Amino acid sequence: MSDFRTQLKSGLYTGVKKGWSSFVWICKIVVPVSFVVALLQWTGWLNHLYFLLNPLMSLVNLPAEAALPIITAMVVSFYAALAIMAVIPFTVGQMTLIALFIMIAHMFIVEGMVQHKSGLNIIKATLVRITAAILTVLVVSQFLGDTSQSIVVPAELTAHAPFVEVLKGWAIDTISLSLKIFLIIMAVMLLLESLQSLGWIKYLHRTFKPFVKILGLSDRAVVMWVAAAFFGLVYGSAVIIEEAKKQTLTREELERLHISIGINHSIVEDPALFLALGLSVFWTVVPRFVTAIIAVHIYRAMQYLKNKSLRN
C-alpha cells in the first residue's frame, strides 16, 4: 500500500508540474493570437478576407456565404464558427459540409504551433489539413444533393461593434477558454502521469494498439493519438508535446501521427456539438476517419518510393 501511495504521489506531482508548464506555453500563444484576431475583426479587415475563399466555396459545392464560418474557424476559433452557423440559415446539407471542413481545418495558428513543437512543420501541417478538408468535402458533397444555393447573411454578423465591447468580449472569451484549457490539461496530465507511475499505462496501449495499426500508425503513438483523438490538439497538447520529447518515435512515425490527428481529432466533442444543430453523426465522424487513414497511407507510399529511389 505504501508503494502504491508513493508511486501515485510521484505521478500526481509530475502531472501538476508538466501540466502547468504546458498550460503556460499554450496561453503564450492563445492570448496574443486571439487579441490580434479580435483587433482584425473590429477594424473590419477580417471581413475583407472572405472573398478570397469564394472560388474555393464554388469548388466544394458551397455558397459564397459559407466562407464566413470557414475562415472564422481557420483564424479565430472552432466555437466562433459554430456560433455563426447557428444564426445563418444554411440547409442541413450545407451545414454538414461546412462542419466537415472546419472540423478538419480550424485554428491553424494555435494548433499548428502544437504540431510544430511536437513533430510536424506548421506549414506542412496546415497544407495537409486544408487539402484534406477540400477533398473530403468535395467527395461528401456528391451524396448531399444541391448544396450551392445562396444564403442571406444576417446584418448583425457584419456590423461594426464598439471597441470597448469587442475588448470586453475578447477578455471574457479568453478567460473562459484559458480556464477550460487549464482544467483539461491538468486533468489529463494527472491521469497520464499517475498511470505511468503505477505501471498501468500498458493497459492503454493494449486497448488501442490494434486501432492505431488500422490508422497506419506506430503502436508507440498510442498515448499521443488518444490525447488528440479524445481531447483535441489544444487540450491534449501537454501529452502530445511531452510524449514527443521522449523521442520514442522516428521522424517519419511522428509525421504520420500528425497527419492523422491533424485531420481527425476531438472525435467526441466536435460531432456532439454539431449534433445539437441536427447534423448526422455518420457524416461528422466517418469521412474524417476515412480521410485520415487514406492520407497516412498515401504518405507511407510516398516515403517508400522516396527511400527506394535513394537506395537506387
Side-chain angles (χ1 to χ4, degrees), residues 99-166:
L100 262 179
F101 200 108
I102 68 177
M103 281 192 291
I104 297 172
H106 60 264
M107 295 182 69
F108 283 143
I109 299 175
V110 177
E111 293 190 346
M113 288 298 293
V114 172
Q115 291 194 279
H116 187 84
K117 190 176 178 66
S118 55
L120 184 63
N121 178 274
I122 187 172
I123 296 175
K124 186 184 291 186
T126 301
L127 290 176
V128 166
R129 293 175 69 182
I130 290 176
T131 303
I134 293 172
L135 294 177
T136 304
V137 170
L138 184 59
V139 171
V140 173
S141 69
Q142 307 306 309
F143 299 91
L144 300 180
D146 184 14
T147 54
S148 60
Q149 59 266 43
S150 186
I151 300 295
V152 176
V153 178
E156 58 267 24
L157 285 179
T158 56
H160 188 72
F163 179 70
V164 174
E165 290 299 317
V166 172

Side-chain angles (χ1 to χ4, degrees), residues 2-117:
S2 59
D3 287 343
F4 174 84
R5 289 179 178 176
T6 301
Q7 290 171 339
L8 181 60
K9 183 177 179 181
S10 174
L12 292 174
Y13 174 78
T14 304
V16 169
K17 185 178 178 181
K18 290 183 177 179
W20 175 255
S21 176
S22 297
F23 170 70
V24 171
W25 179 81
I26 203 73
C27 281
K28 287 179 180 179
I29 299 172
V30 170
V31 175
V33 167
S34 63
F35 181 70
V36 170
V37 170
L39 288 179
L40 290 175
Q41 285 182 303
W42 176 69
T43 59
W45 289 357
L46 200 58
N47 293 332
H48 297 313
L49 298 177
Y50 298 138
F51 80 93
L52 296 175
L53 291 187
N54 287 349
L56 175 59
M57 296 303 96
S58 178
L59 173 65
V60 296
N61 300 314
L62 280 170
E65 295 79 11
L68 184 60
I70 286 176
I71 202 165
T72 299
M74 286 180 175
V75 299
V76 184
S77 76
F78 177 89
Y79 304 103
L82 190 69
I84 291 174
M85 290 175 66
V87 296
I88 297 180
F90 291 115
T91 66
V92 172
Q94 290 170 340
M95 283 199 293
T96 299
L97 297 182
I98 295 169
L100 262 179
F101 200 108
I102 68 177
M103 281 192 291
I104 297 172
H106 60 264
M107 295 182 69
F108 283 143
I109 299 175
V110 177
E111 293 190 346
M113 288 298 293
V114 172
Q115 291 194 279
H116 187 84
K117 190 176 178 66

Side-chain angles (χ1 to χ4, degrees), residues 25 114 117-118 224 236-246:
W25 179 81
V114 172
K117 190 176 178 66
S118 55
M224 297 172 76
S237 60
V239 176
I240 296 168
I241 293 170
E242 286 300 323
E243 287 295 308
K245 286 179 181 177
K246 295 178 181 178

